[in-house]
């Protein structure tokens, strides 16, 4: 029997929200700093993150430009990392629309949601409150079945990486690949 475990987790958010840099930092890439740059993800990418000696999490990042197609990847998903650029108040409204659509999806009614306020190194602390107000989080939490955890992060400074790993680990649902019988 195969012991290879996989985690059904997606990383979503608008274009330029910081998904790729965040996943690079989370996977242990030490080269992520204020001089690093990433290219917006076109399509999908997979990132493997080691959380325990024998356990890895595979996160599928879907580019923001793919938002109209995100629903095609929802089967079997039990965790969503939703990334919002907290330093860009203009983008937050668009991020909210995408988030509301995501939360309304029948396939994701039992999914755990990690709302990541990214790029906190370039935003001021009050922007966190403004972002949450613009996203209407208090109202949203009363109306949806999903559990939402909110976390502030920075791929540059590493802020929030440990709590993010803990969230991934504590909400783990592992499925094992069955051996194929020939």
């Amino acid at each position: 029997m195969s012991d290879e475990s996989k985690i059904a987790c997606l990383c979503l958010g608008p274009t330029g929200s910081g998904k790729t840099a965040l996943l690079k930092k989370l996977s242990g890439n030490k080269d992520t700093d204020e001089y690093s740059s990433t290219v917006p993800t076109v399509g999908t990418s997979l990132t493997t993150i080691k959380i325990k000696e024998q356990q890895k999490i595979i996160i599928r990042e879907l580019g923001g430009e793919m938002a109209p197609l995100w629903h095609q990847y929802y089967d079997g998903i039990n965790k969503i990392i939703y990334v919002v650029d907290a330093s860009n108040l203009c983008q937050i409204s668009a991020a909210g629309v995408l988030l509301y659509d995501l939360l309304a999806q029948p396939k994701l009614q039992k999914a755990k949601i990690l709302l990541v306020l990214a790029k906190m190194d370039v935003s001021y602390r009050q922007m966190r409150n403004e972002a949450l107000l613009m996203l209407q989080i208090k109202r949203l939490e009363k109306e949806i079945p999903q559990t939402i955890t909110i976390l502030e992060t920075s791929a540059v400074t590493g802020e929030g990486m440990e709590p993010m790993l803990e969230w991934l680990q504590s909400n783990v649902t592992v499925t094992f690949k069955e051996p194929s019988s020939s």
Side-chain angles (χ1 to χ4, degrees), residues 112-173:
K112 304 252 190 296
I113 311 293
L114 180 62
L115 176 59
V116 176
L117 300 177
K119 302 185 184 181
M120 290 303 292
D121 56 300
V122 292
S123 61
Y124 55 90
R125 287 292 165 201
Q126 187 58 29
M127 286 181 98
R128 174 196 191 276
N129 297 334
E130 291 176 27
L132 295 176
L133 280 171
M134 289 177 77
L135 292 170
Q136 298 183 7
I137 292 300
K138 291 292 181 199
R139 178 178 172 209
L140 193 61
E141 287 175 330
K142 294 176 186 173
E143 298 177 0
I144 60 169
Q146 296 96 331
T147 301
I148 296 181
T149 303
I150 301 167
L151 187 61
E152 298 174 21
T153 67
S154 167
V156 173
T157 65
E159 175 186 356
M161 294 304 115
E162 283 301 315
M164 199 168 169
L165 282 171
E166 289 170 15
W167 181 86
L168 286 165
Q169 186 175 338
S170 68
N171 292 297
V172 156
T173 302

Side-chain angles (χ1 to χ4, degrees), residues 11-142:
C11 183
L12 307 171
T15 300
S17 58
K19 299 177 296 293
T20 301
L22 188 71
L23 291 176
K24 280 184 178 182
K25 188 69 162 190
L26 196 61
S27 67
N29 186 332
K30 305 282 190 238
D31 297 331
T32 308
D33 60 21
E34 63 268 21
Y35 304 110
S36 301
S37 64
T38 59
V39 177
T41 301
V42 177
T44 73
S45 71
L46 296 175
T47 302
T48 302
I49 298 170
K50 187 175 179 179
I51 59 170
K52 286 185 178 178
E53 194 64 35
Q54 297 293 321
Q55 194 170 29
K56 295 177 183 173
I57 296 174
I58 300 171
I59 299 173
R60 179 182 297 270
E61 176 191 353
L62 300 177
E65 294 293 328
M66 286 187 57
L69 302 175
W70 287 353
H71 67 278
Q72 295 180 4
Y73 293 86
Y74 294 161
D75 284 329
I77 296 300
N78 54 40
K79 283 181 280 320
I80 302 279
I81 299 169
Y82 190 80
V83 182
V84 175
D85 179 354
S87 72
N88 184 351
L89 292 177
C90 296
Q91 185 194 70
I92 292 173
S93 294
V97 171
L98 292 173
L99 177 62
Y100 299 151
D101 181 62
L102 177 83
L103 295 170
Q105 296 296 320
K107 292 178 182 177
L108 298 177
Q109 294 304 295
K110 295 182 181 176
K112 304 252 190 296
I113 311 293
L114 180 62
L115 176 59
V116 176
L117 300 177
K119 302 185 184 181
M120 290 303 292
D121 56 300
V122 292
S123 61
Y124 55 90
R125 287 292 165 201
Q126 187 58 29
M127 286 181 98
R128 174 196 191 276
N129 297 334
E130 291 176 27
L132 295 176
L133 280 171
M134 289 177 77
L135 292 170
Q136 298 183 7
I137 292 300
K138 291 292 181 199
R139 178 178 172 209
L140 193 61
E141 287 175 330
K142 294 176 186 173

